[in-house]
Amino acid sequence: MGERELMKGNEAMAEAAIRAGCRYFFGYPITPQSELLEYMARHLAGRGGVFLQAESEVSAINMVYGAAGAGARVMTATSSPGFSLMQEGLSYMAGAELPAVVVNVVRGGPGLGGLQPAQSDYFQATKGGGHGDYRLIVLAPSSPQEAADLVYEAFDVADRYRNVVLILADSILAQAMEPVELPPARDPASLPAKPWATVGRGERAEPNLVNSLYLAAEDLWALNQRLQAKYRRIEAEETRWAEEWTEEADWLVVAYGSMARIALAAIRQLRREEGLRVGLFRPISLWPFPSRALARRAAGTRGVLTMEMSTGQMVEDVRLAVEGAVPVRFFGKTGGVVPEVEEAVEAIRRMVAETEPRHAHPVR
Amino acid sequence: MERTLIVAGFGGQGVLSLGMVIARAGMSEGYEVSWLPSYGPEQRGGTANCHVILSDEPVACPLVGHPQTLIAFNLPSLEKFAQRVVPGGEILVESGLEAAVTREDVRLYALPALEEANRFGDTRVANMVMLGAWLELHPILGDEAIEDALRRVISKRHHDLLPLDLEAIRAGRRLMAMARA
Amino acid sequence: MSVTLRPVFEPTRGLRSDRVTHYCPGCTHGVAHRLVAEVLEELGVLERTVGVASVGCSVLAYNYFLVDMQEAAHGRAPAVATGIKRVLPDRVVFAYQGDGDLAAIGMAEIVHAAARGENITVIFINNANYGMTSGQMAPTTLVGQRTTTTPLGRDPAQAGYPIRVAELLDTLDGPAYIARGSLHDTAHVLQAKRYIRKAFQAQLEGRGFSLVELLSSCPTNWGLEPVEALDFIRERLVPHYPLGELRKPEGVR
Ligand SMILES: Cc1ncc(C[n+]2csc(CCOP(=O)(O)OP(=O)(O)O)c2C)c(N)n1
Ligand code: SF4
């Protein structure tokens, strides 16, 4: 493995993509992902690739559609308002089963919102986002290192399932510099072939077609059944999470991305100073959501606290997973206001107090 | 061991690179490190700041809520962050600003970094004077690590300024030594 | 004495001979398909062509062309074609778009693909209305023309003026070849084919963006018999949308 480099998350993601064999990037500038775009602009041409600044996120995602359909490893990156504009293209890519990697460095919303970090695009990211019954595989790193690792792997995952993989990041990890050990570079020529891609018919008798239109209802139903079968396979094979101090934990905090780092600092402090047995459960794949693993962990505890930089989105999946077995509480701030470690500490203390046995609501 | 800093000033005063030099040098000295800049419109003409952590343990969270050290180059930064410094921590400010610090429970060092930089004929190295001052207080980063970090942080076309930067760092060390004496 | 039979006509290998198109009787979308397919065959590039179908009556074009195809979202065909061409610069890439698709919802995509000089060919079907969604106003609908959303005729005070796409794109530096043809009679069909060939030729020579606008009939939504629809093109559309080559690369005659 290589040396550790001090890198911004945005740059680490860009470099990891190139090393994964991605040679095509189409994007539109928006804070706070522009460093990723600019990194690609600086590096791709020199490494045999193409960087193109599109006229909008709408065009960018459709260029990704074309390039993915032509068999290339391709990427785009944006932030919340741009991600909204990409929903149409993402829905078409789901229908046409095209693989690509998309990064959303989430900023506060709604509307033009702000430039500061947030996690308020969770619903849009994990529940489909555009029209139709589809899912993106959503991976949420919590450090520049993990961002690089997940982007690198995301290209393989996308190709394996012919599905878009979304990296849901925030500007803390996108702009923070931490030591990153980069994965080895792969030669695009060494990647598995894509016989379905539209590259010109050549010797083939039947043309290839990249398409999401099915005018006969039974055909569209058949596509949907095929997609659902694929999604079940992805749920079985691609669910990811991390745990810290969850063995014999009395309470569980659930948080992802940079919020999980804040939670970790808070938990570390509480364990050290007050001896509270609190564990951290950190979903890495937000879709598929690690429901079963979370349910298992939550079962032995007195309560679960979900922390988000939103007004409460992932908490719905946490509740669905826990199914009322133990109380699920929520703490969050959004709009770019990042919760302080002390606030997280306070929130955990509150949950602990409320879920001590004498306060616990009986579960019927 | 854990050292946490917030470095703040006007955009263009080199606060981001000051922090980055500490983080890079820290990494080559074997510490776990993080560096988190302020972002967005704050950078446009207004104030800029960065959070820096050096630690023996993996960094839990790159945000520094309550720094051990605040290095402040202007009044708005001082007003924004002075109350956040941990009790027993320290504030390094440009001289003339010290009157704005009302806290009794922190060590306060007012240093004429700008004036010193002016003597070198380049006010841009005021950040390096402050870096030297901080290094004098916390001798945990070797000269070699600092020099190497400088080489990486400063863009290649400004590498002719390196000797000046090193000179400014030494001057900062002297200023701090005098201030403590 | 023996007679040798020489074929005087063969269907193009660029279209599937076993499929009947879904176009209405008298619709010239089919003529445009054939011209494109014949040109690709004559240029010997069918095996290395990737087409992009758009959203409109020609949405199923991929069922007829015997080349690799992608189906794009409404208006986005130039962006999709850009993605393909950037990955496969040595393939022939074309987009086939209607006037609602290209000049309304997809105006940004076409203008920027043209401005970039993207080395693709766009076949632009101007039938002065939205065919597929049953005859609403298009950006190309003439002043006074009745459509289902301009039941009293297009009133500029309320609905503005028609866009001349070829002329609009001709203001840009990016395009290499821009022409407007018409499909209303044999002579013009042959002329249109020459334009289409030059457009693809420009792409093959790497000269950059090429577009051929084709005035095309929509008897169904115009409420006209097929022959009347051809007259409508000649009498109403051609005067407003002058035919000819607006932009030619240097050295091309
Ligand atoms: C986003 C979106 N909006 C609206 C539609 C509905 N729609 C389908 S075809 C069409 C108009 C196509 O007209 P044109 O491009 O002129 O092609 P024609 O049918 O006349 O050949 C519209 C509005 C759609 N498919 N997608
Ligand atoms: S509706 Fe008009 S454009 Fe569409 S197929 Fe029929 S005649 Fe052709």
Side-chain angles (χ1 to χ4, degrees):
Chain A
M1 277 280 169
E3 252 178 76
R4 298 217 306 173
E5 275 261 20
L6 197 60
M7 286 184 104
K8 286 192 171 195
N10 271 331
E11 294 171 347
M13 287 191 276
E15 179 58 33
I18 298 175
R19 290 179 180 224
C22 169
R23 290 293 179 279
Y24 301 92
F25 185 96
F26 304 94
Y28 190 82
I30 183 169
T31 306
Q33 68 80 43
S34 294
E35 290 136 345
L36 203 169
L37 174 98
E38 287 159 11
Y39 190 96
M40 289 301 198
R42 280 200 306 276
H43 289 87
L44 265 181
R47 288 153 87 169
V50 173
F51 165 86
L52 186 60
Q53 180 170 332
E55 58 271 21
S56 68
E57 289 86 350
V58 174
S59 291
I61 194 68
N62 282 284
M63 290 171 183
V64 168
Y65 178 104
R73 287 202 157 175
V74 54
M75 182 187 204
T76 185
T78 185
S79 178
S80 306
F83 189 59
S84 285
L85 277 184
M86 289 185 181
Q87 296 310 317
E88 176 197 45
L90 290 168
S91 167
Y92 278 67
M93 291 183 76
E97 293 193 81
L98 290 177
V101 175
V102 176
V103 175
N104 178 4
V105 182
V106 180
R107 58 189 243 187
L112 198 47
L115 306 176
Q116 316 290 347
Q119 297 183 320
S120 39
D121 296 354
Y122 179 92
F123 285 151
Q124 189 187 31
T126 60
K127 311 292 176 188
H131 59 286
D133 262 320
Y134 74 92
R135 298 297 171 128
L136 309 180
I137 299 168
V138 186
L139 303 178
S142 72
S143 68
Q145 177 68 64
E146 195 177 25
D149 293 343
L150 289 178
V151 165
Y152 190 74
E153 225 190 312
F155 283 94
D156 287 334
V157 174
D159 283 350
R160 192 175 316 139
Y161 300 99
R162 286 186 61 180
N163 209 87
V164 169
V165 177
L166 172 68
I167 305 292
L168 200 68
D170 57 67
S171 54
I172 296 176
L173 77 94
Q175 309 221 323
M177 279 184 139
E178 288 186 345
V180 176
E181 189 176 315
L182 288 161
R186 294 172 68 176
D187 178 2
S190 71
L191 298 169
K194 297 176 179 174
W196 49 264
T198 58
V199 295
R201 182 157 55 83
E203 305 286 291
R204 266 184 281 118
E206 263 308 298
N208 280 347
L209 174 64
V210 168
N211 177 41
S212 67
L213 176 68
Y214 294 83
L215 286 173
E218 312 77 63
D219 293 347
L220 188 52
W221 169 229
L223 168 78
N224 272 285
Q225 284 180 299
R226 202 172 74 237
L227 290 180
Q228 289 305 316
K230 175 170 91 173
Y231 297 153
R232 296 296 88 76
R233 200 150 54 83
I234 294 171
E235 283 173 342
E237 295 166 4
E238 299 298 333
T239 305
R240 295 152 196 251
W241 71 93
E243 301 182 33
E244 202 83 43
W245 303 303
T246 49
E247 299 282 338
E248 295 163 32
D250 294 329
W251 291 274
L252 215 53
V253 172
V254 185
Y256 71 94
S258 291
M259 191 65 222
R261 305 279 301 267
I262 298 167
L264 188 69
I267 295 171
R268 199 186 261 179
Q269 183 183 328
L270 281 168
R271 292 182 72 91
R272 217 171 259 169
E273 292 170 12
E274 297 171 33
L276 285 178
R277 299 209 299 187
V278 184
L280 174 69
F281 186 96
R282 178 168 70 87
I284 296 172
S285 59
L286 300 182
W287 192 88
F289 191 74
S291 303
R292 228 171 282 155
L294 175 57
R296 236 181 289 125
R297 270 298 173 225
T301 67
R302 295 185 199 162
V304 173
L305 176 66
T306 307
M307 288 195 200
E308 298 176 58
M309 288 189 269
S310 81
T311 54
Q313 300 193 17
M314 179 179 72
V315 65
E316 294 192 2
D317 285 332
V318 174
R319 290 208 168 100
L320 284 171
V322 172
E323 287 195 286
V326 295
V328 174
R329 298 290 147 92
F330 174 75
F331 168 71
K333 278 189 164 180
T334 194
V337 177
V338 178
E340 305 245 349
V341 173
E342 298 81 77
E343 293 176 284
V345 164
E346 226 10 81
I348 297 172
R349 280 209 195 103
R350 232 178 3 254
M351 173 208 27
V352 165
E354 287 170 8
T355 56
E356 290 281 19
R358 65 202 152 88
H359 285 296
H361 303 287
V363 180
R364 275 182 285 265
Chain B
M1 200 269 341
E2 182 167 89
R3 295 243 58 96
T4 59
L5 297 89
I6 289 181
V7 188
F10 289 124
Q13 284 184 315
V15 299
L16 299 186
S17 36
L18 197 179
M20 211 186 284
V21 170
I22 293 177
R24 277 205 189 269
M27 186 175 80
S28 52
E29 293 287 18
Y31 293 109
E32 298 289 342
V33 303
S34 70
W35 173 92
L36 179 71
S38 58
Y39 18 73
E42 282 187 81
Q43 284 171 346
R44 318 250 140 75
T47 59
N49 69 72
C50 62
H51 300 195
V52 181
I53 302 176
L54 309 186
S55 177
D56 291 333
E57 283 185 285
V59 174
C61 173
L63 287 152
V64 177
H66 298 280
Q68 296 161 342
T69 304
L70 168 66
I71 302 179
F73 286 89
N74 64 12
L75 197 56
S77 309
L78 197 56
E79 285 169 345
K80 186 165 173 187
F81 295 113
Q83 291 309 317
R84 289 184 154 268
V85 177
V86 293
E90 68 212 9
I91 300 178
L92 279 64
V93 288
E94 183 61 43
S95 3
L97 298 176
E98 62 271 29
V101 180
T102 52
R103 290 185 57 172
E104 302 283 325
D105 59 346
V106 296
R107 272 160 296 142
L108 175 66
Y109 302 100
L111 305 161
L114 263 176
E115 190 189 306
E116 194 68 19
N118 241 336
R119 287 202 311 116
F120 295 112
D122 196 334
T123 51
R124 282 179 303 175
V125 297
N127 61 339
M128 293 297 129
V129 176
M130 281 295 191
L131 173 61
W134 184 82
L135 288 168
E136 182 67 16
L137 284 176
H138 306 283
I140 55 174
L141 305 174
D143 289 347
E144 213 171 298
I146 290 288
E147 214 178 308
D148 182 59
L150 272 172
R151 224 179 290 279
R152 285 162 183 268
V153 169
I154 294 168
S155 72
K156 285 225 167 61
R157 64 198 156 85
H158 288 142
H159 271 192
D160 53 324
L161 288 179
L162 262 170
L164 195 61
D165 286 330
L166 294 171
E167 192 61 38
I169 290 172
R170 281 192 288 275
R173 284 184 188 277
R174 278 196 304 276
L175 283 180
M176 180 55 84
M178 272 151 49
R180 297 177 85 186
Chain C
M1 135 187 163
S2 73
V3 179
T4 41
L5 291 178
R6 195 167 51 85
V8 293
F9 175 79
E10 276 183 278
T12 167
R13 289 194 302 112
L15 292 177
R16 292 178 190 268
S17 50
D18 60 338
R19 291 210 185 145
V20 178
T21 71
H22 67 289
Y23 298 113
C24 306
C27 174
T28 45
H29 258 303
V31 177
H33 280 25
R34 202 176 111 192
L35 297 184
V36 172
E38 285 179 358
V39 166
L40 292 173
E41 183 183 7
E42 287 161 21
L43 291 171
V45 296
L46 282 172
E47 287 73 22
R48 58 183 182 103
T49 293
V50 183
V52 182
S54 63
V55 178
C57 278
S58 58
V59 68
L60 294 175
Y62 56 77
N63 278 339
Y64 312 132
F65 283 104
L66 253 174
V67 301
D68 278 7
M69 295 281 288
Q70 295 196 20
E71 164 55 38
H74 199 19
R76 320 296 177 218
V80 171
T82 297
I84 299 169
K85 188 69 181 189
R86 293 294 177 126
V87 173
L88 304 168
D90 61 341
R91 307 302 201 279
V92 176
V93 178
F94 76 91
Y96 187 106
Q97 300 180 262
D99 43 16
D101 191 87
L102 180 143
I105 195 165
M107 190 54 118
E109 283 78 3
I110 192 65
V111 167
H112 286 275
R116 284 194 302 268
E118 208 64 58
N119 195 25
I120 59 173
T121 299
V122 176
I123 307 299
F124 169 45
I125 304 296
N126 176 355
N127 60 11
N129 79 97
Y130 283 26
M132 189 184 201
T133 42
S134 62
Q136 296 85 0
M137 181 184 72
T140 46
T141 295
L142 299 177
V143 168
Q145 187 183 338
R146 283 174 199 266
T147 70
T148 53
T149 48
T150 53
L152 303 177
R154 183 175 189 164
D155 172 8
Q158 196 266 17
Y161 294 89
I163 298 174
R164 291 187 186 89
V165 170
E167 285 80 353
L168 187 93
L169 296 180
D170 191 36
T171 63
L172 302 169
D173 293 335
Y177 184 81
I178 301 175
R180 182 185 287 118
S182 175
L183 303 175
H184 67 272
D185 62 25
T186 316
H188 284 95
V189 168
L190 292 176
Q191 182 191 53
K193 182 170 172 184
R194 284 195 295 277
Y195 293 164
I196 293 171
R197 175 197 286 276
K198 282 193 207 173
F200 279 107
Q201 201 79 53
Q203 180 180 166
L204 284 167
E205 289 167 11
R207 292 177 185 270
F209 182 84
S210 53
L211 175 137
V212 180
E213 176 171 341
L214 296 172
L215 303 181
S216 186
S217 67
C218 182
T220 303
N221 290 307
W222 293 348
L224 299 174
E225 291 300 317
V227 177
E228 293 171 352
L230 299 177
D231 293 342
F232 181 86
I233 297 180
R234 189 179 57 244
E235 289 161 15
R236 299 286 310 279
L237 292 185
V238 171
H240 190 80
Y241 296 109
L243 306 180
E245 293 175 294
L246 290 83
R247 174 87 56 101
K248 280 193 282 190
E250 251 166 70
V252 171
R253 289 192 310 127

